[in-house]
Every structure is written in structure tokens, then in C-alpha cells.
Amino acid sequence: MEKRIAIIGGGIVGATAAYYLSTLPGSQNLKVTLFDDGIGQATAAAAGIISPWLSKRRNQRWYRLAKDGADLYPQLIHDAQIGTDVYQQTGTIVTREAQPDLEILHDLAVDRQKTAAGMGQITVLSAQDVQRHVPLLTAPQPGILISGGARVDGAALVHALLASAQDKNLTIRRERVTLTADEAVHTSLGDRKFDRIIVAAGAWLKDLLAPLDVIAQVRPQKGQLIELAVKDYPLQENLPVVMPEGERDFIPFGHGKLIVGATHEDDKGFDLQAEAAVTADLLASAQRLVAGVTADDITAVRVGTRAYTDDFAPFFGPLPDHERLLVASGLGSSGLTTGPQIGRLLAGSALYGGTPDWSEYELPLKTYLTSASRA
């Protein structure tokens, strides 16, 4: 018997869910439809760093989710036959200017490595060592190299996952949809019913759930980054990602392309306009580490909208009192790290049902979702 599943949102969670719904056992009996108009999507604007191990977050549930998300990547990339231009374990360098801070960072890395084989090797680097690894840096800082760290192009990853799923059982509809009070998807062609609906629409989740009398505790955050044309060093596609102390992240993608950013702007709502002052700030960060870079080297500015909760933690799973729906939101700036694991788990739940226990990764969903009639 054919089962119909809808996905609302084609970012990292929705795309990964669609991919697994096309590959998991039993997927041959599924018909999957994904709805997304693409406007403001955080993933499409993102260039991510997959390296959660040295995070100072105290939320252990988030850390386990992020760690497992990083561990999932190599298998996902292999199975989906995605190339190194999209994802590559180039290593991650996290810098600290002061020697005592560098020692604290190293101790943290050694401790985290005990339960995180995916970290790979840990190497302490002098400023000169950092420059040898990333020669485009002209003002490097000493740091720690984590060999298992990676970089990923969010838009390219989503495109590849969705293209793979389209070859099997996925149909994509490029439109913005809403939900009805009786759990139908309201489309431009009328209301459609599905056996299960995965709602992975980021900061737009709040509006989508309103007709169901559900209030989602989630807010938008604007993020901007810039692309720069820099000197194309030999083997630049293998240069490590750099997370410099006090500066924006540096993500070399090879062929002379450098990504710098992104910002975290809490007071801009769903605004998608690139701002000259923010672009100048991102460029200034680049100029402090890369000599000779000017505004003429900016080739693109990307803007997207992330979703955040008050405790900065993501949530996902079956929607309480609405068993047909599964939801995910609040991934924040770590969406490209945690998103694939969340998408995989939601796909399994949508396909096989049951009452999954994901308490190792998150607080109960009712922490973030409440009934409007009880508010």
C-alpha cells in the first residue's frame, strides 16, 4: 500500500529527510512531496564548518546531537555519491592568541577525543605552522588542528540530496504552503492530505503551526556572509577551515574562493537585504588576517534566516496531539552539523512510526510547543 509523505521546507533537515525517505527499507512504497519556495532559507545561504568538538556550549544534549551529526557525514556523503567540492574533511584550525588559552583549548580537545573518534588527530600549531597550512593568511595566530573537521557548501549539499531523491520517489513543488486546522497542506491547487507531514521550515514554523492552535517558541535570526576572490594556492581545495579568535570564520573552498562569516543578527526579523555596513565589517575581519584584500574582491554576499529558541537548542519529533505531523526547528548556526542527523531520525519516524525516544538529544517538545488556548 502506497504511503504519502509531505515535507514542508527544503533546507538541510527537509533535504536529508527526503534523501533517507528515498533509500530506507520500505521507501519503494512511498510517494514524497516536498514544498519550498526557497526564499530566505538558511541552508541555501550557508557555508558550514563541521567541527563541533571544541564548542564551549554546556548543553550536553546539543553536543551529543552535533557530535553524531558530524559522525554521520562521511557515510551520508559516500552513500549519496557527493563530491569533495560539496563536502570535504580538510581539518579545522581553532586559534588562540595567548599561550594559556591555547593550552586550555588543547586540554579540552584531548578530553573530547576520548568519546569522539570522528575528531581525528589533534595537533598544536604555532602561528608559522598555521600559515603553512593556510598560506593565504598573512597574520595567523597559533591554534589547534582537528583533522576530522570539515567544510560543506549548504546549497550544493541540499541540491545533491534532493536530486538523488528525485530519481526515486520525490516530487518538488516550489511554492509556499500553509497547514489547515484539520492537518491538510493548503497548496495553490487546493488542500491535500498526507499520511505524515514533516514540517522543517525553520523560523517559519511558528506561522505554519498557528492554524493547529500550537505556539512554537522560535524566532528568526539574520545571517550574512561574503565570498571573496583570493589567490589560488596549489591544493587550495584542501586548505583547512580556520576559526580565528576574535574574527569571523574563514572557509577556503578552492579555486580562489574564500567564505568569511557569518553574522548573528537578532533584531532584523526576516529581512533578507544585504547591508553595506555588515559587508564592510566582514571585509574588515578578512583584511585583518589576509593582506591586500579589498572590496573589489567581494564576489557575492549571501543572506539567510536561521531559527533560534530561547535556550539556543534545536527541537524535533512528533507534534504533541497531532500524530500525523513531525516538526523540527531551532537549529541556529549549527544547522549544517545537526541537520542531517535530525533529518535521518525524522525520516525513520515518518516511515516506520512508533514513539521514538530522542531525550539524549533534546528536551521534551512541550518545552518549545504550547497550545494557544492554554497560553
Side-chain angles (χ1 to χ4, degrees):
M1 180 178 176
E2 187 178 75
K3 187 175 183 179
R4 298 198 308 162
I5 297 179
I7 302 172
I8 302 177
I12 187 61
V13 173
T16 308
Y19 170 77
Y20 280 108
L21 285 170
S22 74
T23 59
L24 288 170
S27 61
Q28 67 275 9
N29 298 319
L30 296 181
K31 184 176 181 180
V32 183
T33 305
L34 184 144
F35 300 93
D36 192 318
D37 65 358
I39 297 175
Q41 185 190 106
T43 306
I49 300 173
I50 311 303
S51 186
W53 305 287
L54 300 187
S55 171
K56 291 184 177 180
R57 287 201 198 190
R58 297 180 180 179
N59 185 334
Q60 290 302 304
R61 290 183 178 89
W62 174 87
Y63 177 69
R64 284 191 290 269
L65 177 64
K67 180 169 68 71
D68 289 352
D71 289 344
L72 175 64
Y73 257 101
Q75 189 64 50
L76 172 62
I77 295 300
H78 175 270
D79 293 346
Q81 299 181 4
I82 296 173
T84 56
D85 57 324
V86 177
Y87 168 89
Q88 189 171 9
Q89 284 186 309
T90 56
T92 304
I93 297 174
V94 183
T95 72
R96 293 290 185 269
E97 190 67 41
Q99 183 63 30
D101 293 338
L102 189 65
E103 292 172 359
I104 291 172
L105 187 68
H106 178 261
D107 291 344
L108 174 62
V110 171
D111 183 62
R112 290 278 174 85
Q113 190 184 42
K114 296 173 184 175
T115 56
M119 283 180 65
Q121 296 181 333
I122 302 167
T123 306
V124 179
L125 303 177
S126 66
Q128 293 75 23
D129 293 331
V130 170
Q131 190 171 46
R132 280 194 289 272
H133 281 280
V134 189
L136 62 89
L137 294 178
T138 53
Q141 304 166 327
I144 303 291
L145 171 65
I146 305 298
S147 67
R151 53 109 173 112
V152 61
D153 184 319
L157 175 62
V158 162
H159 177 79
L161 292 173
L162 292 179
S164 176
Q166 280 182 287
D167 289 339
K168 296 167 185 172
N169 62 2
L170 176 67
T171 299
I172 297 177
R173 295 280 302 276
R174 294 299 181 185
E175 63 172 299
R176 179 160 294 193
V177 298
T178 57
L179 293 171
T180 68
D182 62 348
E183 301 179 2
V185 179
H186 180 68
T187 77
S188 60
L189 300 177
D191 294 352
R192 296 180 59 187
K193 285 280 191 176
F194 293 87
D195 297 293
R196 302 300 297 275
I197 303 172
I198 296 174
V199 188
W204 291 269
L205 180 73
K206 191 168 189 174
D207 290 340
L208 280 164
L209 296 186
L212 301 174
D213 192 40
V214 175
I215 298 175
Q217 188 261 93
V218 63
R219 58 179 171 79
Q221 183 191 75
K222 184 176 181 179
Q224 303 182 60
L225 55 76
I226 59 174
E227 294 183 15
L228 291 166
V230 295
K231 182 178 178 180
D232 188 5
Y233 288 89
L235 301 177
Q236 191 183 62
E237 64 272 14
N238 298 318
L239 298 185
V241 171
V242 183
M243 302 171 73
E245 183 179 22
E247 301 292 350
R248 307 294 185 179
D249 293 334
F250 280 50
I251 311 175
F253 267 91
H255 309 293
K257 184 170 90 171
L258 173 67
I259 303 291
V260 180
T263 62
H264 298 76
E265 301 164 61
D266 290 321
D267 59 346
K268 303 297 176 58
F270 291 92
D271 174 46
L272 295 174
Q273 294 298 313
E275 299 172 64
V278 175
T279 299
D281 176 72
L282 292 167
L283 176 62
S285 183
Q287 290 172 328
R288 285 189 285 272
L289 294 178
V290 183
V293 174
T294 71
D296 292 336
D297 297 314
I298 299 176
T299 57
V301 180
R302 303 188 198 175
V303 185
T305 305
R306 307 183 189 95
Y308 266 90
T309 57
D310 287 346
D311 64 359
F312 303 99
F315 62 88
F316 58 96
L319 182 63
D321 303 321
H322 297 275
E323 61 182 23
R324 188 178 299 174
L325 275 67
L326 298 109
V327 299
S329 189
L331 277 66
S333 59
S334 62
L336 284 173
T337 301
T338 60
Q341 176 72 341
I342 293 172
R344 183 183 72 86
L345 294 173
L346 291 180
S349 181
L351 178 54
Y352 305 125
T355 54
D357 179 8
W358 293 325
S359 58
E360 65 176 316
Y361 295 139
E362 61 176 346
L363 293 172
L365 259 65
K366 290 187 177 180
T367 305
Y368 311 98
L369 303 168
T370 57
S371 171
S373 61
R374 299 171 192 164

